[in-house]
DNA sequence: CGGAATCTTGACGGATCCTTAACGCCGGTG
DNA sequence: CACCGGCGTTAAGGATCCGTCAAGATTCCG
């Protein structure tokens, strides 16, 4: 059963959407503001998100960007604004679709189906395992031989980026831009320090890493 | 460069879309009716399709269903009809997005970007295989007999260039300019060294290469 | 305010990669 | 048949990159 996270500050609309979506077989979770949305999404990662741009606490686009930092779930944006630039901004910020209020429920449902058709990974793996250690993306926790491993925020950010792209080579620039920001793309020194730290905590033989691999001159790669 | 197939019977709109899309870096192909669209799509598979539902010869939905039988490229539907059931039908027939005329070009471009973000696989195959080795462009990884092959950055750059143009003859100048920069077009020596290196790592018989072929006096060619 | 955890910075040895040069092979040519 | 240019192969040197360590700076939290 696919999980839908509906974010809107209009209680009536929220209730109507909940009933409709549940009637069509979705597991619905709701949030009334941006902060609650991000908490709910991290606690119980949804298969798809319906997001109203007009939230009381923070800009809808900000919620979208924050969500995109760690979630690839499709996002359908609701908005009362018909302006072209609003749509362009939301879509370029990571939204997958944009419909304006008022909208027909049938259309909303059809668009959700179309989006979910493209994202078969609706239930993305919440944990990634290797013979030596296990990474729980949802709980932000790493265990090794059953024992929890303490990671600093920076260590986790790097490990998460690598683990979410198993086997894929991530360039140093990508890691630096993702963890420290695009302005730090030259600071390859940081990376060396933190990769050594991660290997010391996760690899049996830091000299011959089996899962956190180096590609000299390019970047790093996680092998499961 | 991503290929866009635009299908519409309005010649003015067709021309406008062609100019706009080309200005944004897409390779544009056009068709004025359903049959021409299907032929064009099969002859030169597009990365994404913009499809008008009101075609003279056949129902737009029929084109969509026929296309979906063999293509997974994202489809954005244009239509003059605002009705809810029209949208639902098109989306459920396999369309990925639906916008009604008149529409803003900026919005169309943003929606194309959003769709292409989701379907990178539809644009180009992410792996290229030969009987002996396999090149995974997306993961930047090469495997031979299931075993990963270590390539240096320069080796990978050359191999990638050749593999992305299967069967096509690439001149030495093109390779040198692409990998080392236009100032190195005279340094054919580099190429000899690296082609030998690549063959040693990828070919069974380096004396009789089966996939990394030399065209004496001209350049090199990758044969799948 | 003080201590602990985390991040930044710099330096060093070692590993990896790039460049360069030399030599043998082959086919074409005078 | 000798010569010559283009190609394949190899190995050594130097340049670059990476792993490691430790100390100082900063932030976090009680």
């Amino acid at each position: 059963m696919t999980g839908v996270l509906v974010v809107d500050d209009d209680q009536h609309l929220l209730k109507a959407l909940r009933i409709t979506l549940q009637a069509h077989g979705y597991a619905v979770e709701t949030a009334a503001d941006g902060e609650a949305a991000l908490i709910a999404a991290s606690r119980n990662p949804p298969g798809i998100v319906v997001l109203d741009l007009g939230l009381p606490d923070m800009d809808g686009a900000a919620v979208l960007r924050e969500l995109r930092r760690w979630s690839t779930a499709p996002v359908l944006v609701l908005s009362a604004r018909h302006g072209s630039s609003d749509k362009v901004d939301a879509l370029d910020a990571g939204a997958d679709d944009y419909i304006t209020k008022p909208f027909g429920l049938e259309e909303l449902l059809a668009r959700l189906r179309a989006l979910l058709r493209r994202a078969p990974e609706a239930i993305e793996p919440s944990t990634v395992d290797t013979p030596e250690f296990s990474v729980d993306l949802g709980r932000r926790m790493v265990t090794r031989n059953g024992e929890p491993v303490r990671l600093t925020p920076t260590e986790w950010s790097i490990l998460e980026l690598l683990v979410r792209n198993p086997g894929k080579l991530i360039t140093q620039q990508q890691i630096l831009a993702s963890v420290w920001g695009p302005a730090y793309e030259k600071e390859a020194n940081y990376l060396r320090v933190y990769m050594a730290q991660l290997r010391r905590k996760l690899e049996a033989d830091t000299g011959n890493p089996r899962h956190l691999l180096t590609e000299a001159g390019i970047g790093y790669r996680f092998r499961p």
Side-chain angles (χ1 to χ4, degrees), chain A residues 155 188-198 200 220:
Chain A
E155 287 163 8
N189 217 4
Y190 293 5
L191 257 187
R192 291 209 293 278
V193 173
Y194 278 97
M195 289 306 300
Q197 199 81 359
L198 276 175
R200 192 178 318 152
Y220 295 87

Side-chain angles (χ1 to χ4, degrees), chain A residues 61-84:
Chain A
V63 179
L64 189 50
R65 272 188 296 274
E66 192 62 29
L67 190 70
R68 271 285 169 270
R69 292 186 54 174
W70 55 270
S71 171
T72 61
V75 173
L76 189 155
V77 162
L78 303 179
S79 173
R81 313 185 59 160
H82 291 63
S84 176

Side-chain angles (χ1 to χ4, degrees), chain A residues 8 10-18 52 78 101 103:
Chain A
D8 202 309
D10 179 345
Q11 292 294 335
H12 289 94
L13 183 56
L14 217 51
K15 189 175 177 185
L17 286 176
R18 174 195 289 278
D52 185 359
L78 303 179
K101 303 179 183 179
F103 54 86

Side-chain angles (χ1 to χ4, degrees), chain A residues 143-155:
Chain A
T143 56
R144 182 178 172 193
N145 305 327
E147 295 297 311
V149 179
R150 285 184 55 89
L151 292 187
T152 72
T154 306
E155 287 163 8

Side-chain angles (χ1 to χ4, degrees), chain A residues 10 17 25 27 48 67 83 92 118-119 129 138 172 182 194 196 210 221:
Chain A
D10 179 345
L17 286 176
I48 191 168
L67 190 70
D92 282 341
R118 280 284 170 197
D129 297 315
Q172 299 182 16
Y194 278 97
R210 302 176 52 132
R221 181 199 306 276

